[in-house]
Amino acid sequence: MEKITARDAKNQTFRITRFSEGYRIDATDSFLDDIRDALASWENGTAGNATMTSQQLAKQLAQLPTTKFKESYRLSDVDEFCEKARQTLEQYEAAGRPAAGGYPGAAGGDMVPIYVSPSDYAALERLAGERGESVGQFLHDCVNSWVQ
């Protein structure tokens, strides 16, 4: 399954329909902003601030307003993208809470989130607290010590 990123949600475009039933453009764009924010929360290690779960995404998609004989987004395009986003959120939720900060990725130095179980996250919080650091800073220091 192809993971969807917050960047994908920000740059997503859909084909326009004028005569067939489609999703209202304004409502869909707002919905995409919510999806982007939820994905960004997981990617940035702040999943506790996520504004949407995979279940909420599915529920909100089912309630997204449609229109006919006006410019709107093709239903199939939006549905396909949202299903990929829902599956991505579901994977994040199943993997556990991301540890803030992540680690430098191989491609272009982007930060890649580190996913840990709730019990492991609690241990990381304890270790970071003993050093007076955030979990993200603690992980950053650990990774840097391994790389050097």
Side-chain angles (χ1 to χ4, degrees):
M1 195 242 15
E2 174 189 355
K3 270 194 174 179
I4 299 294
T5 66
R7 181 180 291 173
D8 294 332
K10 180 179 181 183
N11 296 327
Q12 181 62 39
T13 59
F14 301 112
R15 292 178 289 177
I16 300 290
T17 184
R18 289 178 180 81
F19 301 107
S20 299
E21 183 178 24
Y23 289 112
R24 277 191 18 213
I25 292 174
D26 59 337
T28 305
D29 288 345
S30 177
F31 184 50
L32 280 177
D33 288 343
D34 293 342
I35 292 171
R36 185 197 68 231
D37 292 346
L39 291 168
S41 293
W42 281 99
E43 293 166 12
N44 297 329
T46 57
N49 297 333
T51 56
M52 177 185 297
T53 65
S54 59
Q55 290 180 344
Q56 290 169 329
L57 187 152
K59 184 178 179 180
Q60 289 178 22
L61 176 62
Q63 297 172 350
L64 201 59
T66 60
T67 187
K68 197 171 186 177
F69 303 118
K70 283 185 163 183
E71 278 196 355
S72 56
Y73 291 135
R74 285 192 175 194
L75 294 173
S76 60
D77 291 357
V78 175
D79 289 343
E80 180 182 333
F81 177 83
C82 288
E83 178 56 20
K84 289 177 184 175
R86 188 199 62 74
Q87 290 176 5
T88 299
L89 287 173
E90 193 172 65
Q91 284 183 346
Y92 285 144
E93 292 160 1
R97 185 174 177 184
Y103 63 93
D110 289 338
M111 295 300 279
V112 178
I114 298 172
Y115 295 94
V116 296
S117 70
S119 61
D120 289 341
Y121 192 86
L124 285 171
E125 284 182 314
R126 184 181 50 78
L127 291 170
E130 288 173 2
R131 295 177 53 166
E133 297 177 331
S134 68
V135 171
Q137 184 61 47
F138 176 74
L139 287 174
H140 177 75
D141 292 346
C142 289
V143 170
N144 279 341
S145 70
W146 300 334
V147 173
Q148 295 172 354

